[in-house]
Amino acid sequence: MPQTRRDDTTVVRPSGVVPLLVALARPLFAFHMEMYRRDLASAVFPRDERSSAIGGPDPERIAFIGSIAVAGMGVLSHGMTTSSQVATRVARARGRGLSWSELSSPVLTARTAATVPTLSAAGAGAAVIFLGIADVLSATSPRAWERDLRILVQRVREEAGPDCAVVFAAIPPLARFRPIPPTACRLIAAQVDRLNTVTERLARELVGVDHVGFPAEAIDSLTVHGLFSWSTLHRTWAEIVAPRVHAALDGVDARRVGVELDERADAPVVAPPSPAIAPGLVVSGSPEGSSSPVVA
C-alpha cells in the first residue's frame, strides 16, 4: 500500500448540500457527458507519428496517464500535447535524456485506469496523471474517486518501483471549455472542486505524491479572440505541471541517495587485512609475541 505521511490526519468532508444536488442532477451530468462524446467525435486529434523519446545523457522515464491532455484533443501534432510538452520541458530542465509512455483515452476514468492490465509504467521515475474530466461528467463520488486514485498509486508503484513519484494534475475548469447554461455550469464546477479537494488531500497524505492545481489566473488565457483555444490549454497546462514533475524527480533522486547512504551505514564493518610481516619483524599486538619491533 502507498506509504502515508504521519503528520496529516485532516479529512475533508463535502457539505451535505452539494452531494445531494449532484445525485439529483445525474441526468443532467449524463446529458453533458453525451455532449462531450459528440464533441470528441468531431474534434481534432494529432495525426502525425508519435515520438516519445528525447536523446541525452543518463536517460530517465516518465509514465503519462490521462485523457485529453495525453490524447491531444484539439491539436494536430503529438508535440503539442500537454504530455509531450511536459516531457520536453523536464528533459531540458534536468539536462538528461527522457523517454515516456502514454496511457490515454478522451473518456478515461480513474476506475478504468486503475483496472487496466498494465499502465506501461515499468522503469518510470515519475507517473504524471491527468484524469477527472470523465469522472466529473459521470458524477463519480468523492469516495469512489479516492478509492480509485489510491489503487492507481499502488499499481503505478507495483510496476515502476516503490520510489516512483506520482504527480496528479488538477481537473481543469470544464465549464469554460464550451458554452454551458448557468445551473449546469455551477454543478459541474462544484463537482470539479469536490474531486480536486480529494486529490489535494491525498497528495498531502501520501509520501511521494503531489497535486498541481490549475491557477485561476490561467483560466482567462484559454480564450483567444473570444474562442476557447485547445493549443493554449495544452501549453498552459504543461507550463504549470512541468516544474512540479521536475521537482518530483529531484525528490526521487534524493530518496534513492538516502537509501544508498542508509544501506552503507547498515553494512557490516570488515576489518582490513593485516599488513604483511617481514621475516624477523614482530608487530605490536600481533600473536607472535613482543610489544615492540625487534629486528633479528
Side-chain angles (χ1 to χ4, degrees):
M1 295 295 292
Q3 189 177 358
T4 303
R5 293 193 176 109
R6 298 179 180 177
D7 58 348
D8 193 325
T9 57
T10 303
V11 176
V12 178
R13 302 292 185 189
S15 66
V17 176
V18 173
L20 177 61
L21 291 176
V22 171
L24 293 174
R26 279 188 175 275
L28 181 63
F29 279 92
F31 170 79
H32 284 283
M33 183 62 162
E34 181 59 28
M35 292 297 100
Y36 174 60
R37 289 181 181 275
R38 293 187 181 186
D39 288 343
L40 292 174
S42 59
V44 169
F45 284 91
R47 301 175 182 175
D48 59 345
E49 185 176 353
R50 188 189 303 270
S51 175
S52 56
I54 297 172
D58 196 14
E60 52 194 345
R61 188 165 179 81
I62 294 175
F64 289 101
I65 302 167
S67 57
I68 60 173
V70 184
M73 184 176 181
V75 294
L76 290 171
S77 169
H78 281 100
M80 297 175 68
T81 67
T82 305
S83 52
S84 291
Q85 293 190 63
V86 168
T88 300
R89 289 173 177 274
V90 170
R92 184 186 305 123
R94 285 174 63 81
R96 296 173 61 173
L98 182 68
S99 64
W100 63 94
S101 62
E102 296 182 346
L103 174 68
S104 69
S105 165
V107 292
L108 185 64
T109 63
R111 184 60 179 166
T112 301
T115 56
V116 295
T118 178
L119 300 169
S120 299
V128 187
I129 300 174
F130 296 90
L131 290 173
I133 292 177
D135 284 282
V136 167
L137 298 178
S138 299
T140 298
S141 70
R143 184 185 298 274
W145 174 250
E146 178 174 351
R147 176 201 64 205
D148 295 335
L149 293 191
R150 286 182 179 274
I151 293 172
L152 188 56
V153 171
Q154 182 177 353
R155 289 208 53 214
V156 162
R157 289 175 172 167
E158 287 173 354
E159 292 189 20
D163 57 351
C164 179
V166 178
V167 179
F168 286 106
I171 306 168
L174 303 188
R176 299 292 294 268
F177 285 15
R178 60 192 301 274
I180 297 177
T183 299
C185 183
R186 286 193 292 270
L187 283 169
I188 290 174
Q191 177 70 348
V192 168
D193 288 342
R194 292 173 78 202
L195 300 190
N196 276 339
T197 296
V198 170
T199 315
E200 187 175 359
R201 174 170 57 80
L202 283 180
R204 295 195 305 270
E205 181 180 329
L206 300 179
V207 173
V209 176
D210 195 9
H211 174 261
V212 187
F214 201 100
E217 59 269 21
I219 296 175
D220 292 336
S221 69
L222 304 183
T223 303
V224 179
H225 301 302
L227 298 174
F228 183 83
S229 171
W230 286 103
S231 61
T232 302
L233 170 66
H234 288 287
R235 186 183 68 251
T236 302
W237 223 344
E239 291 172 350
I240 295 167
V241 172
R244 301 288 279 273
V245 177
H246 183 180
L249 289 168
D250 284 346
V252 171
D253 291 343
R255 287 194 293 275
R256 286 173 176 169
V257 169
V259 169
E260 291 176 0
L261 292 176
D262 290 342
E263 290 176 348
R264 291 177 186 176
D266 293 338
V269 178
V270 179
S274 300
I277 302 175
L281 185 64
V282 178
V283 178
S284 174
S286 69
E288 281 78 7
S290 173
S291 61
S292 60
V294 177
V295 179

Short mmCIF file of all heavy atoms in Angstrom, two decimals, residues 63-114:
data_model
loop_
_atom_site.label_atom_id
_atom_site.label_comp_id
_atom_site.label_asym_id
_atom_site.label_seq_id
_atom_site.Cartn_x
_atom_site.Cartn_y
_atom_site.Cartn_z
N ALA A 63 5.87 8.03 -16.97
CA ALA A 63 4.63 7.41 -17.44
C ALA A 63 3.51 8.44 -17.36
O ALA A 63 3.26 9.01 -16.30
CB ALA A 63 4.27 6.19 -16.59
N PHE A 64 2.88 8.72 -18.49
CA PHE A 64 1.73 9.64 -18.53
C PHE A 64 0.45 8.82 -18.61
O PHE A 64 0.34 7.89 -19.42
CB PHE A 64 1.83 10.57 -19.73
CG PHE A 64 2.90 11.61 -19.64
CD1 PHE A 64 4.11 11.45 -20.31
CD2 PHE A 64 2.72 12.76 -18.88
CE1 PHE A 64 5.11 12.40 -20.23
CE2 PHE A 64 3.72 13.72 -18.79
CZ PHE A 64 4.91 13.54 -19.47
N ILE A 65 -0.52 9.18 -17.79
CA ILE A 65 -1.82 8.51 -17.77
C ILE A 65 -2.88 9.60 -17.76
O ILE A 65 -2.87 10.48 -16.90
CB ILE A 65 -1.96 7.64 -16.51
CG1 ILE A 65 -0.84 6.59 -16.46
CG2 ILE A 65 -3.33 6.97 -16.46
CD1 ILE A 65 -0.73 5.89 -15.11
N GLY A 66 -3.78 9.59 -18.75
CA GLY A 66 -4.78 10.64 -18.73
C GLY A 66 -5.68 10.65 -19.94
O GLY A 66 -5.65 9.77 -20.79
N SER A 67 -6.50 11.70 -19.99
CA SER A 67 -7.49 11.83 -21.05
C SER A 67 -7.02 12.81 -22.11
O SER A 67 -6.03 12.56 -22.80
CB SER A 67 -8.85 12.21 -20.45
OG SER A 67 -8.75 13.41 -19.70
N ILE A 68 -7.67 13.95 -22.24
CA ILE A 68 -7.40 14.83 -23.38
C ILE A 68 -6.01 15.44 -23.35
O ILE A 68 -5.44 15.73 -24.41
CB ILE A 68 -8.46 15.95 -23.47
CG1 ILE A 68 -8.47 16.81 -22.21
CG2 ILE A 68 -9.84 15.36 -23.71
CD1 ILE A 68 -9.37 18.03 -22.31
N ALA A 69 -5.43 15.62 -22.16
CA ALA A 69 -4.08 16.20 -22.08
C ALA A 69 -3.05 15.29 -22.70
O ALA A 69 -2.04 15.74 -23.25
CB ALA A 69 -3.72 16.49 -20.63
N VAL A 70 -3.29 13.97 -22.63
CA VAL A 70 -2.36 12.99 -23.18
C VAL A 70 -2.77 12.60 -24.60
O VAL A 70 -1.93 12.45 -25.49
CB VAL A 70 -2.30 11.75 -22.28
CG1 VAL A 70 -1.26 10.76 -22.79
CG2 VAL A 70 -1.97 12.15 -20.84
N ALA A 71 -4.08 12.47 -24.82
CA ALA A 71 -4.57 12.10 -26.15
C ALA A 71 -4.39 13.23 -27.15
O ALA A 71 -4.28 12.99 -28.36
CB ALA A 71 -6.04 11.70 -26.07
N GLY A 72 -4.37 14.49 -26.68
CA GLY A 72 -4.10 15.62 -27.56
C GLY A 72 -5.33 16.20 -28.23
O GLY A 72 -5.24 16.65 -29.38
N MET A 73 -6.44 16.25 -27.53
CA MET A 73 -7.64 16.84 -28.12
C MET A 73 -7.39 18.28 -28.54
O MET A 73 -6.85 19.08 -27.78
CB MET A 73 -8.79 16.78 -27.12
CG MET A 73 -10.12 17.28 -27.67
SD MET A 73 -11.46 17.07 -26.48
CE MET A 73 -12.84 17.72 -27.42
N GLY A 74 -7.77 18.59 -29.79
CA GLY A 74 -7.71 19.97 -30.26
C GLY A 74 -6.43 20.39 -30.93
O GLY A 74 -6.32 21.52 -31.39
N VAL A 75 -5.43 19.48 -31.02
CA VAL A 75 -4.17 19.84 -31.68
C VAL A 75 -3.82 18.77 -32.73
O VAL A 75 -4.21 17.61 -32.60
CB VAL A 75 -3.01 20.00 -30.68
CG1 VAL A 75 -3.26 21.19 -29.77
CG2 VAL A 75 -2.81 18.74 -29.85
N LEU A 76 -3.07 19.17 -33.74
CA LEU A 76 -2.77 18.28 -34.87
C LEU A 76 -1.48 17.49 -34.71
O LEU A 76 -1.26 16.52 -35.41
CB LEU A 76 -2.70 19.09 -36.17
CG LEU A 76 -4.02 19.65 -36.70
CD1 LEU A 76 -3.77 20.60 -37.85
CD2 LEU A 76 -4.93 18.50 -37.14
N SER A 77 -0.61 17.93 -33.79
CA SER A 77 0.69 17.30 -33.64
C SER A 77 0.86 16.73 -32.24
O SER A 77 0.44 17.35 -31.24
CB SER A 77 1.80 18.32 -33.90
OG SER A 77 3.06 17.83 -33.52
N HIS A 78 1.48 15.56 -32.14
CA HIS A 78 1.75 14.98 -30.83
C HIS A 78 2.69 15.86 -30.01
O HIS A 78 2.63 15.87 -28.78
CB HIS A 78 2.36 13.58 -30.99
CG HIS A 78 1.35 12.53 -31.31
ND1 HIS A 78 1.15 12.05 -32.59
CD2 HIS A 78 0.47 11.86 -30.52
CE1 HIS A 78 0.20 11.14 -32.58
NE2 HIS A 78 -0.23 10.99 -31.34
N GLY A 79 3.54 16.61 -30.70
CA GLY A 79 4.44 17.50 -29.99
C GLY A 79 3.74 18.64 -29.28
O GLY A 79 4.33 19.31 -28.43
N MET A 80 2.46 18.87 -29.60
CA MET A 80 1.70 19.96 -28.99
C MET A 80 0.85 19.49 -27.81
O MET A 80 0.22 20.30 -27.14
CB MET A 80 0.79 20.61 -30.04
CG MET A 80 1.54 21.27 -31.17
SD MET A 80 0.42 21.91 -32.44
CE MET A 80 -0.40 23.25 -31.55
N THR A 81 0.82 18.18 -27.55
CA THR A 81 0.03 17.69 -26.42
C THR A 81 0.66 18.12 -25.10
O THR A 81 1.86 18.40 -25.02
CB THR A 81 -0.08 16.16 -26.44
OG1 THR A 81 1.22 15.59 -26.22
CG2 THR A 81 -0.63 15.66 -27.79
N THR A 82 -0.14 18.14 -24.08
CA THR A 82 0.38 18.51 -22.76
C THR A 82 1.49 17.56 -22.33
O THR A 82 2.54 18.00 -21.84
CB THR A 82 -0.75 18.47 -21.72
OG1 THR A 82 -1.83 19.30 -22.14
CG2 THR A 82 -0.26 18.95 -20.37
N SER A 83 1.28 16.27 -22.52
CA SER A 83 2.28 15.29 -22.08
C SER A 83 3.62 15.48 -22.78
O SER A 83 4.67 15.48 -22.14
CB SER A 83 1.76 13.87 -22.29
OG SER A 83 1.31 13.68 -23.61
N SER A 84 3.58 15.67 -24.11
CA SER A 84 4.84 15.86 -24.85
C SER A 84 5.54 17.14 -24.42
O SER A 84 6.77 17.18 -24.29
CB SER A 84 4.57 15.89 -26.35
OG SER A 84 4.17 14.62 -26.83
N GLN A 85 4.77 18.20 -24.19
CA GLN A 85 5.38 19.47 -23.78
C GLN A 85 5.95 19.38 -22.36
O GLN A 85 6.99 19.98 -22.07
CB GLN A 85 4.36 20.59 -23.88
CG GLN A 85 3.95 20.90 -25.32
CD GLN A 85 3.13 22.18 -25.43
OE1 GLN A 85 3.60 23.27 -25.13
NE2 GLN A 85 1.89 22.04 -25.88
N VAL A 86 5.28 18.64 -21.48
CA VAL A 86 5.84 18.42 -20.15
C VAL A 86 7.16 17.67 -20.26
O VAL A 86 8.16 18.05 -19.64
CB VAL A 86 4.85 17.64 -19.26
CG1 VAL A 86 5.54 17.16 -17.98
CG2 VAL A 86 3.65 18.50 -18.90
N ALA A 87 7.18 16.60 -21.06
CA ALA A 87 8.40 15.81 -21.22
C ALA A 87 9.54 16.66 -21.76
O ALA A 87 10.68 16.58 -21.27
CB ALA A 87 8.12 14.63 -22.16
N THR A 88 9.26 17.49 -22.76
CA THR A 88 10.30 18.33 -23.35
C THR A 88 10.86 19.31 -22.33
O THR A 88 12.08 19.50 -22.22
CB THR A 88 9.72 19.10 -24.55
OG1 THR A 88 9.26 18.17 -25.54
CG2 THR A 88 10.77 20.00 -25.17
N ARG A 89 9.98 19.92 -21.55
CA ARG A 89 10.42 20.89 -20.55
C ARG A 89 11.23 20.21 -19.44
O ARG A 89 12.25 20.76 -18.98
CB ARG A 89 9.21 21.61 -19.95
CG ARG A 89 8.54 22.59 -20.91
CD ARG A 89 7.25 23.15 -20.33
NE ARG A 89 6.65 24.14 -21.21
CZ ARG A 89 6.95 25.43 -21.22
NH1 ARG A 89 7.83 25.90 -20.35
NH2 ARG A 89 6.38 26.27 -22.07
N VAL A 90 10.81 19.03 -19.01
CA VAL A 90 11.52 18.34 -17.94
C VAL A 90 12.90 17.89 -18.42
O VAL A 90 13.90 18.05 -17.71
CB VAL A 90 10.70 17.13 -17.45
CG1 VAL A 90 11.53 16.25 -16.52
CG2 VAL A 90 9.44 17.60 -16.73
N ALA A 91 12.97 17.34 -19.63
CA ALA A 91 14.26 16.90 -20.17
C ALA A 91 15.23 18.08 -20.28
O ALA A 91 16.42 17.96 -19.93
CB ALA A 91 14.06 16.24 -21.53
N ARG A 92 14.73 19.21 -20.75
CA ARG A 92 15.58 20.39 -20.90
C ARG A 92 16.05 20.90 -19.54
O ARG A 92 17.22 21.23 -19.34
CB ARG A 92 14.82 21.49 -21.64
CG ARG A 92 15.66 22.74 -21.93
CD ARG A 92 14.84 23.85 -22.54
NE ARG A 92 14.13 23.40 -23.74
CZ ARG A 92 12.82 23.47 -23.89
NH1 ARG A 92 12.06 23.95 -22.92
NH2 ARG A 92 12.26 23.06 -25.01
N ALA A 93 15.15 20.94 -18.57
CA ALA A 93 15.49 21.48 -17.25
C ALA A 93 16.47 20.58 -16.50
O ALA A 93 17.35 21.06 -15.78
CB ALA A 93 14.21 21.66 -16.42
N ARG A 94 16.34 19.27 -16.69
CA ARG A 94 17.22 18.33 -15.96
C ARG A 94 18.48 17.99 -16.75
O ARG A 94 19.40 17.36 -16.20
CB ARG A 94 16.44 17.06 -15.62
CG ARG A 94 15.47 17.29 -14.46
CD ARG A 94 14.59 16.10 -14.19
NE ARG A 94 15.29 14.89 -13.78
CZ ARG A 94 15.73 14.63 -12.55
NH1 ARG A 94 15.56 15.52 -11.58
NH2 ARG A 94 16.32 13.48 -12.27
N GLY A 95 18.53 18.38 -18.02
CA GLY A 95 19.71 18.12 -18.82
C GLY A 95 19.98 16.64 -19.02
O GLY A 95 21.14 16.21 -19.09
N ARG A 96 18.90 15.87 -19.13
CA ARG A 96 19.03 14.42 -19.27
C ARG A 96 18.15 13.92 -20.40
O ARG A 96 17.19 14.58 -20.81
CB ARG A 96 18.63 13.72 -17.96
CG ARG A 96 19.54 14.05 -16.80
CD ARG A 96 19.03 13.50 -15.50
NE ARG A 96 18.94 12.04 -15.50
CZ ARG A 96 18.64 11.32 -14.41
NH1 ARG A 96 18.44 11.93 -13.24
NH2 ARG A 96 18.56 10.01 -14.48
N GLY A 97 18.48 12.73 -20.90
CA GLY A 97 17.60 12.09 -21.86
C GLY A 97 16.30 11.67 -21.18
O GLY A 97 16.25 11.53 -19.96
N LEU A 98 15.27 11.48 -21.99
CA LEU A 98 13.98 11.14 -21.40
C LEU A 98 13.15 10.34 -22.40
O LEU A 98 13.09 10.68 -23.59
CB LEU A 98 13.22 12.42 -21.02
CG LEU A 98 11.85 12.24 -20.36
CD1 LEU A 98 12.01 11.62 -18.97
CD2 LEU A 98 11.13 13.57 -20.25
N SER A 99 12.54 9.29 -21.92
CA SER A 99 11.54 8.57 -22.71
C SER A 99 10.27 8.51 -21.88
O SER A 99 10.30 8.67 -20.66
CB SER A 99 12.03 7.16 -23.05
OG SER A 99 12.18 6.38 -21.88
N TRP A 100 9.16 8.30 -22.55
CA TRP A 100 7.90 8.26 -21.80
C TRP A 100 6.88 7.34 -22.45
O TRP A 100 6.93 7.07 -23.65
CB TRP A 100 7.32 9.66 -21.63
CG TRP A 100 6.93 10.40 -22.87
CD1 TRP A 100 5.69 10.46 -23.46
CD2 TRP A 100 7.79 11.22 -23.70
NE1 TRP A 100 5.72 11.25 -24.58
CE2 TRP A 100 6.98 11.73 -24.74
CE3 TRP A 100 9.14 11.56 -23.64
CZ2 TRP A 100 7.51 12.57 -25.74
CZ3 TRP A 100 9.66 12.38 -24.63
CH2 TRP A 100 8.85 12.88 -25.66
N SER A 101 5.98 6.84 -21.63
CA SER A 101 4.86 6.03 -22.09
C SER A 101 3.58 6.84 -21.91
O SER A 101 3.53 7.78 -21.11
CB SER A 101 4.77 4.72 -21.30
OG SER A 101 4.54 4.99 -19.92
N GLU A 102 2.56 6.48 -22.68
CA GLU A 102 1.28 7.20 -22.60
C GLU A 102 0.13 6.20 -22.59
O GLU A 102 0.01 5.37 -23.49
CB GLU A 102 1.13 8.15 -23.79
CG GLU A 102 2.16 9.27 -23.80
CD GLU A 102 1.95 10.24 -24.97
OE1 GLU A 102 1.18 9.89 -25.89
OE2 GLU A 102 2.56 11.32 -24.95
N LEU A 103 -0.68 6.28 -21.57
CA LEU A 103 -1.93 5.53 -21.50
C LEU A 103 -3.05 6.56 -21.55
O LEU A 103 -3.18 7.38 -20.64
CB LEU A 103 -2.01 4.72 -20.20
CG LEU A 103 -3.33 3.99 -19.94
CD1 LEU A 103 -3.53 2.86 -20.96
CD2 LEU A 103 -3.38 3.43 -18.52
N SER A 104 -3.82 6.56 -22.61
CA SER A 104 -4.78 7.65 -22.77
C SER A 104 -6.05 7.22 -23.48
O SER A 104 -6.07 6.28 -24.28
CB SER A 104 -4.14 8.81 -23.55
OG SER A 104 -3.93 8.44 -24.90
N SER A 105 -7.10 7.93 -23.18
CA SER A 105 -8.38 7.89 -23.87
C SER A 105 -9.11 9.16 -23.46
O SER A 105 -9.06 9.54 -22.28
CB SER A 105 -9.20 6.66 -23.46
OG SER A 105 -10.55 6.82 -23.88
N PRO A 106 -9.79 9.83 -24.38
CA PRO A 106 -10.51 11.05 -24.01
C PRO A 106 -11.58 10.84 -22.94
O PRO A 106 -11.98 11.78 -22.27
CB PRO A 106 -11.14 11.50 -25.34
CG PRO A 106 -10.26 10.92 -26.39
CD PRO A 106 -9.82 9.59 -25.83
N VAL A 107 -12.05 9.59 -22.79
CA VAL A 107 -13.07 9.30 -21.79
C VAL A 107 -12.52 8.41 -20.66
O VAL A 107 -13.28 7.73 -19.97
CB VAL A 107 -14.31 8.64 -22.43
CG1 VAL A 107 -15.04 9.64 -23.32
CG2 VAL A 107 -13.94 7.39 -23.21
N LEU A 108 -11.21 8.43 -20.47
CA LEU A 108 -10.58 7.60 -19.44
C LEU A 108 -11.01 8.07 -18.05
O LEU A 108 -10.88 9.24 -17.71
CB LEU A 108 -9.06 7.67 -19.57
CG LEU A 108 -8.26 6.74 -18.66
CD1 LEU A 108 -8.53 5.28 -18.98
CD2 LEU A 108 -6.76 7.05 -18.80
N THR A 109 -11.50 7.14 -17.25
CA THR A 109 -11.86 7.43 -15.86
C THR A 109 -10.79 6.86 -14.94
O THR A 109 -9.99 6.00 -15.33
CB THR A 109 -13.21 6.81 -15.49
OG1 THR A 109 -13.11 5.38 -15.60
CG2 THR A 109 -14.32 7.32 -16.39
N ALA A 110 -10.81 7.30 -13.69
CA ALA A 110 -9.86 6.76 -12.72
C ALA A 110 -10.10 5.28 -12.50
O ALA A 110 -9.15 4.50 -12.32
CB ALA A 110 -10.00 7.52 -11.40
N ARG A 111 -11.36 4.87 -12.52
CA ARG A 111 -11.66 3.45 -12.33
C ARG A 111 -11.09 2.59 -13.45
O ARG A 111 -10.49 1.54 -13.20
CB ARG A 111 -13.18 3.25 -12.25
CG ARG A 111 -13.60 1.81 -11.95
CD ARG A 111 -13.02 1.37 -10.63
NE ARG A 111 -13.39 0.01 -10.27
CZ ARG A 111 -12.81 -0.69 -9.30
NH1 ARG A 111 -11.82 -0.15 -8.61
NH2 ARG A 111 -13.20 -1.91 -9.03
N THR A 112 -11.26 3.04 -14.69
CA THR A 112 -10.72 2.29 -15.82
C THR A 112 -9.20 2.24 -15.75
O THR A 112 -8.58 1.19 -15.95
CB THR A 112 -11.16 2.93 -17.15
OG1 THR A 112 -12.59 2.93 -17.21
CG2 THR A 112 -10.61 2.15 -18.33
N ALA A 113 -8.56 3.38 -15.46
CA ALA A 113 -7.10 3.42 -15.37
C ALA A 113 -6.59 2.49 -14.28
O ALA A 113 -5.54 1.85 -14.43
CB ALA A 113 -6.63 4.84 -15.12
N ALA A 114 -7.33 2.39 -13.18
CA ALA A 114 -6.89 1.57 -12.06
C ALA A 114 -7.06 0.08 -12.32
O ALA A 114 -6.50 -0.73 -11.58
CB ALA A 114 -7.67 1.95 -10.80
#
